[in-house]
């Protein structure tokens, strides 16, 4: 009986929750609950719907504020983490930059000016390791250079003695002719080998080393030098290398590279063909030596350019392709080997030169 006027008509309403038609009461909308107690008395409860909506809106706005705060905290944390990480690794990055800028021929001086911390310990360890490596390389280079220079003297003496013997009237057509020819070829091979070792031991820049040399003339000279390896073999030789094609290289280096590839093809080809082709292909110069020999198995193609790697029919010390590969790397040329490893299909060796002229 004490219900507000607008709710008085609902005093006899059945138990439950009623939407009272959103009856205006002081400009509010109400929900109305009726419940009969055990004593028989009636309990009335009304809820201000607007207050619920205001509370829901407040919670929504609070959620948005919390979301924005979470995003801001995440961004600030990421920025702080990035800044902290950058400050932590910056000394290491500076050290790496100093290592990259350091000339190869000079001793490393990385720890100078660094604070006494972990980065300085790392720099000192790198310096010690580089010093050991540099000392080892210098010993190797000095030995190669000195040994090559020392070997030049006996090679020159042998060449002079051969010239004197060949000048004698009786030796030109006598029994010594063939042995002397073999000695002369071996002496020439030794001279080229010494020259190759000298080039491989040099550290100075090679940008201006050499002059333009005819690829065709160098190929013809290499063929003439090793043609004896084709004697008494049913092997057809085909050469197509334009003499107008030029490659910039020091004296003797191009002949060593071509000579080793041609000598291998002549030596291992028992029958069939050897094709030597060269010329300009697009923006580069390419020379290929292809044969019909026993070939190289695919699993050995990468290892045959390593020193002292010998094939089953090899008669040398496994240095030819290793020297060729080293010289190509030294002068910025590219050596490739293609072979299926089947007898009769042979091997195709290619040297790709940049166009310098």
């Amino acid at each position: 009986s004490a219900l507000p006027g607008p709710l008085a008509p609902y005093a006899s309403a059945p138990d439950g929750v009623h939407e009272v038609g959103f009856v205006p009461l002081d400009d509010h909308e109400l929900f109305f609950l009726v419940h009969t107690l055990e004593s028989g008395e009636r309990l009335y409860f009304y809820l201000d719907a607007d207050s619920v909506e205001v509370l829901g809106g407040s919670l929504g706005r609070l959620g948005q504020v919390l979301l924005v705060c979470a995003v801001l905290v995440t961004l600030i944390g990421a920025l702080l983490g990035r800044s902290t990480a950058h400050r932590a690794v910056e000394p290491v990055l500076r050290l790496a930059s100093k290592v990259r800028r350091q000339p190869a021929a000079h001793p490393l001086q990385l720890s100078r000016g660094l604070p006494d911390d972990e980065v300085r310990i790392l720099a000192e360890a790198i310096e010690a390791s580089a010093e050991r490596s540099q000392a080892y390389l210098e010993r190797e280079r000095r030995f190669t250079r000195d040994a090559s220079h020392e070997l030049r003297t006996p090679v020159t003496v042998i060449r002079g003695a051969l010239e004197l013997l060949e000048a004698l009237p009786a030796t030109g057509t006598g029994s010594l002719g063939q042995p002397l020819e073999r000695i002369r070829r071996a002496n020439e091979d030794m001279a080229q080998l010494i020259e190759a070792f000298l080039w491989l031991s040099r550290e100075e820049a090679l940008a201006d080393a050499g002059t333009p040399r005819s690829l065709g003339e160098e190929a013809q000279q290499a063929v003439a030098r090793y043609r004896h390896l084709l004697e008494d073999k049913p092997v057809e030789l085909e050469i197509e290398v334009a003499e107008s094609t030029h490659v910039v290289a020091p004296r003797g280096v191009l002949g060593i590279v071509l000579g080793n590839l041609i000598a291998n093809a002549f030596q291992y080809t028992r029958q069939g063909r050897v094709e030597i082709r060269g010329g300009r292909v697009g923006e580069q110069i390419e020379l290929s030596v292809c044969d019909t020999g026993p070939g190289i198995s695919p699993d050995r193609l990468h290892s045959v350019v390593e020193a002292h790697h010998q094939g089953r029919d090899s008669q040398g010390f496994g240095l030819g392709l290793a020297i060729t590969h080293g010289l190509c790397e030294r002068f910025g040329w590219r050596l490739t080997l293609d072979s299926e490893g089947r007898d009769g299909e042979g091997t195709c060796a290619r040297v790709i030169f940049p166009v310098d002229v």
Side-chain angles (χ1 to χ4, degrees):
S1 61
L3 288 173
L7 295 178
Y10 294 90
S12 59
D15 288 3
V17 179
H18 305 276
E19 296 182 15
V20 294
F22 299 97
V23 177
L25 180 64
D26 296 333
D27 296 328
H28 289 282
E29 295 178 337
L30 303 177
F31 288 97
F32 186 58
L33 169 67
V34 180
H35 181 65
T36 303
L37 301 176
E38 292 181 357
S39 62
E41 293 180 305
R42 304 267 290 177
L43 175 67
Y44 303 97
F45 177 81
Y46 61 91
L47 177 66
D48 187 344
D50 283 349
S51 66
V52 176
E53 293 177 355
V54 170
L55 178 61
S58 299
L59 292 176
R61 287 191 295 273
L62 178 60
Q64 294 175 355
V65 171
L66 291 176
L67 178 61
V68 171
C69 290
V71 172
L72 289 176
V73 169
T74 302
L75 290 176
I76 293 173
L79 292 175
L80 289 176
R82 181 181 179 87
S83 176
T84 303
H86 180 72
R87 287 197 300 270
V89 302
E90 185 179 7
V92 179
L93 296 177
R94 289 200 304 267
L95 178 61
S97 178
K98 291 178 68 175
V99 173
R100 285 194 295 267
R101 295 195 306 267
Q102 186 73 26
H106 294 75
L108 291 178
Q109 296 179 350
L110 305 176
S111 59
R112 180 181 300 176
L114 292 178
D116 191 9
D117 55 8
E118 295 83 355
V119 177
R120 184 182 182 89
I121 295 174
L122 176 61
E124 291 174 348
I126 294 175
E127 287 176 349
S129 177
E131 287 176 2
R132 291 193 299 269
S133 299
Q134 187 68 27
Y136 172 77
L137 291 175
E138 183 58 31
R139 288 195 302 269
E140 291 289 313
R141 190 177 297 114
R142 187 184 302 114
F143 171 78
T144 304
R145 182 178 61 248
D146 295 344
S148 299
H149 280 297
E150 290 296 325
L151 288 173
R152 276 182 165 179
T153 300
V155 167
T156 303
V157 171
I158 293 173
R159 183 184 297 117
L162 283 172
E163 292 175 355
L164 290 176
L165 288 174
E166 289 173 347
L168 296 177
T171 58
T173 58
S175 59
L176 294 179
Q178 187 172 359
L180 289 177
E181 178 63 22
R182 294 183 62 183
I183 294 174
R184 183 186 60 79
R185 289 197 299 262
N187 193 64
E188 290 178 355
D189 293 343
M190 178 63 71
Q192 285 205 344
L193 185 63
I194 293 171
E195 190 68 24
F197 284 153
L198 285 173
W199 276 111
L200 291 175
S201 67
R202 290 174 181 170
E203 182 63 30
E204 64 269 16
L206 300 176
D208 299 324
T211 57
R213 303 187 183 278
S214 170
L215 193 62
E217 292 180 0
E218 295 283 348
Q220 291 288 352
Q221 293 174 8
V223 168
R225 192 161 61 250
Y226 295 104
R227 188 180 288 272
H228 65 278
L229 296 174
L230 293 179
E231 291 179 356
D232 303 325
K233 289 183 180 180
V235 176
E236 182 180 353
L237 176 62
E238 182 176 348
I239 306 175
E240 292 184 6
V241 184
E243 293 186 0
S244 58
T245 304
H246 289 77
V247 174
V248 174
R251 182 181 62 85
V253 172
L254 188 59
I256 295 170
V257 171
L258 301 185
N260 284 338
L261 297 180
I262 291 172
N264 279 347
F266 287 0
Q267 178 179 344
Y268 291 108
T269 304
R270 295 183 292 270
Q271 60 182 3
R273 295 173 56 83
V274 174
E275 298 179 355
I276 304 172
R277 305 181 186 279
R280 184 161 179 163
V281 180
E283 296 300 322
Q284 60 192 20
I285 296 173
E286 180 178 311
L287 182 129
S288 62
V289 181
C290 303
D291 59 61
T292 56
I296 305 171
S297 59
D299 60 328
R300 293 176 52 236
L301 279 175
H302 296 291
S303 58
V304 293
V305 296
E306 298 176 358
H308 306 296
H309 184 94
Q310 294 175 278
R312 59 179 182 271
D313 299 325
S314 177
Q315 299 177 4
F317 295 98
L319 294 175
L321 282 178
I323 292 174
T324 301
H325 181 257
L327 288 174
C328 288
E329 285 190 336
R330 194 78 174 86
F331 291 92
W333 307 336
R334 184 157 57 93
L335 172 66
T336 63
L337 299 173
D338 297 316
S339 180
E340 296 296 330
R342 290 190 288 268
D343 194 8
E345 296 188 6
T347 304
C348 195
R350 291 182 177 86
V351 182
I352 300 173
F353 308 90
V355 176
D356 296 304
V357 292

